[in-house]
Structures are given as structure tokens and as C-alpha cells.
């Protein structure tokens, strides 16, 4: 069994990105610039955005955090998005979700210029993904593709079972794994809360991707020997032995499933760290696109 070490892999990619930025600087070229819009003070969002801005600084990207009050109106936020769309300094930007209830997330997502949509949530980018055209892939699926590549895992002709159909992880991942590409060319089964015979399906899977947010949901009796497992789940589970009083747990019962798996991501340290570097990779790409 081999651990798919997202922490180490993401470090390597950060190093590569830092070198790419350094080279650009030496040539007098523009430094990639990511802006992150955060509305309100949701604890999780503050942490995620903070981590994204910090990652930018570490690799030499410019970053701007735009922290807005949760009383901001939809019109005001749309105006901000428009301003960022037209700001030549900013190569790509994200609007951290979720947004306060009085703001329509779809409207905001649609207002972002697809060329600056480094989260890859705009329908244009999702359409490009389906059509296998250039564009921005959502960060978490892109991070998983990168792990397949870096560990040279064969995906062609394999049966890939995706558990969970969210717009940001499960659904795009099911499309990406079925595309005529590498990683891809898998036979994909997309499962969700209404799936009746999940265990029957997972037992046939060569690759399992879980994105549901249910701790230890996938157990050893549900997988066959040699399976490749990518665990996207992140759930806080009470743990009095930890300083914080909780630990982060994935959707996979790691100890037992690891005994049967050929490759498996740990949680934490698997898919999570890859998500942030994917955003950085998208920002570098955005700069290259927008400079053309
Ligand atoms: P979500 O929370 O929006 O939706 C959950 C999905 O799980 C739904 O599609 C639902 O149909 C499915 N589901 C629920 N119970 C199920 C069951 N018993 N059997 C089969 N399917 C079931 O999904 P999300 O936003 O993709 O988040 C899923 C998990 O991934 C969460 O723990 C989240 O925190 C985590 N996440 C991690 C990253 C990362 O970077 N590692 C990124 C995004 C989300």
C-alpha cells in the first residue's frame, strides 16, 4: 500500500510555482495576483481564505484579501465583482462561499469573468470541462487529478466509483474521470444519497472517490483488494486527547481500508493540501491567459 501524500506533493508543487514566479520576476514579467473576497465572519471561511492568502505569499504571488461586512447588498457585491473583472492587476479571484442568505450565490458566480474564475465554478468553465476544452477546473477535483498524475496511477479502463454528487467535488470528478484524457478514460459510476446498492458498486471499484462528509463511512468490507482510494471528506470529530478538542476525519475508515488499498489518501494530509495548490496553479494559468 502506498500513501498518496498530498502534503508532500503540494510542497513540491509550491516549490515549482515559487520557481516559476522567480523566473518571471527575473525576466521583469508580472507576478501572479490572486484576490479573495470574503463576506462576513464565518469561522470556516476565514480559515480557508486565510490559508489561501498565506499560500500565495509563501510562493511569491501577490494576494489581496477583500473582507466585506455581511450587511453588504447583492448589488454592492456585484459591483465589487465587476471591479475585479476589470482590474488589470488581478489575474484571478474567488468569492468564498457560502455567502449570506440575502445574496444569490448563483448570480455572483455568473458575474465573475470566466477568464478570472480560478475556482472554476462559472458555467462556462464547467462547460469547457465537460467538452474537454481549456479552462479552469474546480480546485479539489484538479488536485485529485494532479495526485493521479504525480503517482502515475493508471486510470484508463478502470471502474471509478464516486460517492457524493456536489457541484464542487463529486459531479465534476465523475465527469473528469470519464473524459478521454489522462487521468480519465475510466468507466464511472456516480453515487449519492439515493443510491440503493452502494456496497455492491464499491466492491466492483478499482478507484473510489468519496466526498460526502460522513466520518469512517467507507469500510474495508465495501472495497476490493488493490483499490485506489481518494478521500475528500473533512469532518471535525470530538477528540479529548487533542488540544483543540477535535480531530479532522475523512469519509474512509483509514486503518482497515488501507490494508486492502494499493493507494490511499490520508485525512488530513491527502486531498486537502492539493486543493489550495490547485488554486495557485489556476492563478498562474489565469495570468498567462490574461496576458495574451
Ligand atoms: P456536500 O456536503 O455538498 O454533499 C454531500 C454529498 O454526499 C451529496 O451529494 C449527497 O448525495 C452525498 N451523500 C450523503 N450521504 C450519502 C450516503 N449515505 N451515500 C452516498 N452519498 C451520500 O458535498 P461536498 O461539498 O463535496 O463536501 C463533501 C465533504 O468533502 C465534506 O466533508 C467537505 O468538508 C469535504 N470537502 C473537502 C474539500 C477538500 O479540499 N479536501 C473540498 C470540498 C469539500
Amino acid at each position: 500500500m502506498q500513501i498518496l501524500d498530498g502534503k508532500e506533493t503540494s510542497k513540491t508543487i509550491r516549490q515549482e510555482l515559487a520557481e516559476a514566479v522567480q523566473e518571471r520576476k527575473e525576466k521583469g514579467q508580472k507576478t501572479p495576483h490572486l484576490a479573495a473576497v470574503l463576506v462576513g465572519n464565518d469561522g470556516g471561511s476565514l480559515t480557508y481564505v486565510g490559508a489561501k492568502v498565506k499560500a500565495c505569499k509563501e510562493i511569491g504571488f501577490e494576494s489581496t484579501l477583500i473582507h466585506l461586512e455581511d450587511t453588504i447588498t447583492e448589488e454592492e457585491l456585484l459591483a465589487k465583482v465587476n471591479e475585479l473583472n476589470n482590474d488589470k492587476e488581478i489575474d484571478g479571484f474567488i468569492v468564498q462561499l457560502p455567502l449570506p442568505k440575502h445574496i444569490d450565490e448563483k448570480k455572483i458566480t455568473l458575474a465573475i469573468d470566466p477568464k478570472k474564475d480560478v475556482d472554476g465554478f462559472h458555467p462556462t468553465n464547467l462547460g469547457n470541462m465537460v467538452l474537454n476544452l481549456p479552462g479552469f477546473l474546480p480546485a479539489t477535483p484538479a488536485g485529485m487529478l494532479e495526485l493521479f498524475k504525480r503517482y502515475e496511477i493508471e486510470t484508463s479502463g478502470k471502474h471509478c466509483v464516486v460517492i457524493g454528487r456536489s457541484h464542487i467535488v463529486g459531479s465534476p470528478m465523475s465527469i473528469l474521470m470519464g473524459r478521454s484524457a489522462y487521468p480519465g478514460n475510466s468507466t464511472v459510476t456516480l453515487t449519492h444519497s439515493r443510491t440503493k446498492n452502494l456496497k455492491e458498486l464499491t466492491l466492483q471499484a478499482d478507484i473510489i472517490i468519496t466526498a460526502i462528509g460522513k466520518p469512517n463511512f467507507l469500510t474495508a468490507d465495501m472495497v476490493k483488494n488493490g483499490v485506489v482510494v481518494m478521500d475528500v471528506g473533512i469532518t471535525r470529530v470530538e477528540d479529548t486527547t487533542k488540544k483543540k478538542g477535535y480531530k479532522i476525519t475523512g469519509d474512509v475508515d483509514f486503518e482497515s481500508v488501507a490494508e486492502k488499498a494499493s493507494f490511499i489518501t490520508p485525512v488530513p494530509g491527502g486531498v486537502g493540501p492539493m486543493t489550495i495548490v490547485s488554486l495557485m496553479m489556476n492563478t498562474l494559468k489565469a495570468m498567462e491567459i490574461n496576458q495574451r
Side-chain angles (χ1 to χ4, degrees), residues 4-276:
L4 295 170
D5 190 337
K7 208 172 164 191
E8 270 310 307
T9 309
S10 69
K11 260 192 211 160
T12 308
I13 297 173
R14 279 176 200 221
Q15 189 58 39
E16 290 166 8
L17 288 170
E19 282 164 18
V21 173
Q22 194 51 39
E23 257 177 49
R24 293 190 64 85
K25 281 186 182 161
E26 279 161 16
K27 286 187 202 151
Q29 292 169 327
K30 185 180 180 304
T31 308
H33 191 160
L34 175 78
V37 179
L38 174 64
V39 181
N41 290 300
D42 174 76
S45 297
L46 276 167
T47 312
Y48 293 141
V49 171
K52 288 166 188 173
V53 171
K54 186 169 159 246
C56 278
K57 290 215 173 94
E58 279 170 9
I59 57 175
F61 281 20
E62 299 280 340
S63 64
T64 303
L65 173 60
I66 301 160
H67 196 167
L68 305 166
E69 295 291 328
D70 58 6
T71 48
I72 189 169
T73 64
E74 192 176 273
E75 288 67 33
E76 285 166 335
L77 185 56
L78 283 169
K80 189 61 172 169
V81 167
N82 199 33
E83 191 186 309
L84 291 168
N85 282 341
N86 293 308
D87 186 336
K88 292 212 160 45
E89 252 314 295
I90 307 287
D91 299 297
F93 67 98
I94 59 163
V95 178
Q96 184 68 39
L97 303 179
L99 291 170
K101 288 205 170 58
H102 65 276
I103 298 176
D104 184 347
E105 287 184 355
K106 274 191 209 128
K107 255 195 202 169
I108 303 299
T109 304
L110 276 170
I112 298 174
D113 181 344
K115 289 202 206 76
K116 292 194 175 188
D117 170 40
V118 284
D119 254 343
F121 294 162
H122 192 285
T124 297
N125 280 316
L126 292 173
N128 285 335
M129 174 186 76
V130 174
L131 298 170
N132 211 352
L133 293 171
F136 297 112
L137 298 180
T140 305
M144 281 189 268
L145 293 190
E146 200 61 34
L147 274 180
F148 278 114
K149 276 191 216 160
R150 301 256 168 172
Y151 282 86
E152 296 177 0
I153 297 171
E154 183 59 80
T155 58
S156 178
K158 304 289 180 192
H159 182 195
C160 173
V161 172
V162 180
I163 313 177
R165 59 176 161 189
S166 71
H167 291 158
I168 59 166
V169 187
S171 293
M173 204 54 199
S174 70
I175 290 162
L176 290 164
M177 292 304 286
R179 293 197 314 188
S180 176
Y182 176 74
N185 280 322
S186 294
T187 304
V188 180
T189 304
L190 178 60
T191 69
H192 44 78
S193 53
R194 303 291 176 92
T195 300
K196 287 200 173 121
N197 55 341
L198 185 66
K199 184 172 170 182
E200 222 172 273
L201 296 164
T202 54
L203 276 171
Q204 294 170 32
D206 305 303
I207 299 167
I208 301 179
I209 294 160
T210 62
I212 57 175
K214 297 208 163 139
N216 305 319
F217 177 85
L218 189 82
T219 46
D221 59 310
M222 296 171 78
V223 307
K224 68 177 184 186
N225 283 325
V227 67
V228 176
V229 180
M230 292 218 187
D231 185 354
V232 184
I234 299 179
T235 311
R236 283 184 181 185
V237 173
E238 194 187 292
D239 184 347
T240 47
T241 66
K242 302 271 180 213
K243 250 193 206 160
K244 291 177 184 162
Y246 67 86
K247 63 174 178 182
I248 299 294
T249 307
D251 295 337
V252 178
D253 180 27
F254 184 85
E255 297 295 325
S256 69
V257 174
E259 281 180 21
K260 292 175 99 176
S262 55
F263 293 91
I264 185 166
T265 54
V267 176
V271 175
M274 296 301 293
T275 297
I276 291 192

